[in-house]
Amino acid sequence: MSVTMALLLFLPPFIATELIAALPGSKSAREALERGIRNTGRHLVLWAVTIGAIHWIAKMLMARAPLW
Amino acid sequence: MGKTAGGLEAPPDRATLSGGAPAGKTRCRPIPLGLTSFRHGMPPINTILIATWGLWLVAAMVAIADPRVRKPFLLGIAVPGLGHMSIGEKGRGLLVAVPVLILYVAGLLLSDFRCVSPFDRHPLWGVLQAPAAGPTLLSWLGTRHLTLEHIGETYQVGCLYVGIASLLNLVALCDLRDLCLKVARRKDASA
């Protein structure tokens, strides 16, 4: 499976989780939907930054001292 | 267990694993799956299964015991989102139904309609699929005659999708219970 395919397959459960996790604590469906969409974007950026950082650190370490 | 030329230990041969039977006459001892499987370094699958089914059952009985929650809760288990709709929260019901059902159907498609089989192929996934009992029961009844010839590239992803959809329905059921109690409290206060 290619990386693009894996990333694409990762997105639907991620979005669904964010939408439904926004339900408790929201007064209306509209508020829940807005919160869900906002959180999806925010967490996607956070996730991409974290994975990007781990990838970059791993690449740097591998360039200095290859482990495998 | 011998040492190779590089100094690394070679993995134990099958005879060692199967309890010292001579090589060539390999006889695998079945690994017990109860609490005793701890001794074999395996998770106690049967114990986990029974404990989780018991947990679901107790949680459902606690929810159903309250007459204010009973009907919407049962509807929510049968069809994701229907419980919310039954108490007048149509928007919330749609917000639950659309992602959960899309994810569920996508999971079934990705796994060639073979990932729901709580008592045969996938007892562990079955535990996770229990919170969406309606779709799970329907899929199981509709696909139980199918057999698993080969595992495709997206098979495990499909299992994961269906598991996630069902667990998301559990989150929705918790939200539904809170809503029902809030509505009942409001009614009591106004009476």
Side-chain angles (χ1 to χ4, degrees):
Chain A
M1 191 185 294
S2 67
V3 177
T4 318
M5 179 78 168
L7 284 174
L8 278 176
L9 285 172
F10 160 81
L11 277 178
F14 183 83
I15 295 167
T17 307
E18 290 291 354
L19 286 177
I20 290 179
L23 272 176
S26 298
K27 281 175 189 157
S28 64
R30 195 183 171 81
E31 192 192 325
L33 186 66
E34 282 170 4
R35 261 182 65 194
I37 293 170
R38 211 170 38 237
N39 284 347
T40 304
R42 202 179 286 166
H43 292 154
L44 211 57
V45 170
L46 198 68
W47 185 84
V49 168
T50 312
I51 296 294
I54 291 170
H55 181 72
W56 180 71
I57 290 168
K59 239 173 124 177
M60 218 171 63
L61 286 174
M62 284 290 284
R64 281 161 190 246
L67 296 171
W68 58 85
Chain B
M1 201 184 299
K3 286 205 170 191
T4 57
L8 292 169
E9 280 197 344
D13 55 9
R14 202 162 168 79
T16 320
L17 283 176
S18 59
K25 286 186 179 175
T26 310
R27 189 171 56 83
C28 285
R29 212 170 29 195
I31 295 173
L33 292 175
L35 275 172
T36 46
S37 59
F38 269 129
R39 282 183 225 143
H40 298 266
M42 291 258 304
I45 305 290
N46 279 357
T47 315
I48 292 171
L49 278 176
I50 292 167
T52 322
W53 276 113
L55 188 75
W56 287 154
L57 215 65
V58 169
M61 279 166 79
V62 165
I64 291 169
D66 193 337
R68 297 170 295 182
V69 184
R70 191 177 298 149
K71 195 182 150 197
F73 189 83
L74 288 174
L75 285 173
I77 287 185
V79 181
L82 198 62
H84 283 87
M85 288 182 198
S86 74
I87 57 164
E89 294 276 354
K90 284 190 180 159
R92 277 175 112 91
L94 276 176
L95 200 60
V96 172
V98 172
V100 169
L101 291 177
I102 287 179
L103 214 56
Y104 204 98
V105 172
L108 286 176
L109 286 171
L110 285 169
S111 62
D112 268 346
F113 296 93
R114 279 158 173 82
C115 65
V116 180
S117 180
F119 304 110
D120 183 17
R121 287 189 298 271
H122 298 303
L124 271 177
W125 281 118
V127 169
L128 296 185
Q129 291 155 358
T136 300
L137 200 67
L138 244 150
S139 319
W140 175 55
L141 289 175
T143 62
R144 74 199 152 131
H145 63 281
L146 299 176
T147 50
L148 195 63
E149 284 93 26
H150 78 286
I151 292 179
E153 203 180 28
T154 54
Y155 185 78
Q156 298 295 341
V157 182
C159 290
L160 195 64
Y161 268 40
V162 173
I164 290 173
S166 306
L167 289 178
L168 285 177
N169 196 41
L170 183 67
V171 177
L173 287 173
C174 294
D175 177 58
L176 178 64
R177 187 177 178 275
D178 280 356
L179 278 176
C180 287
L181 294 178
K182 213 181 276 176
V183 168
R185 242 178 267 135
R186 213 177 295 148
K187 268 186 192 164
D188 287 347
S190 64

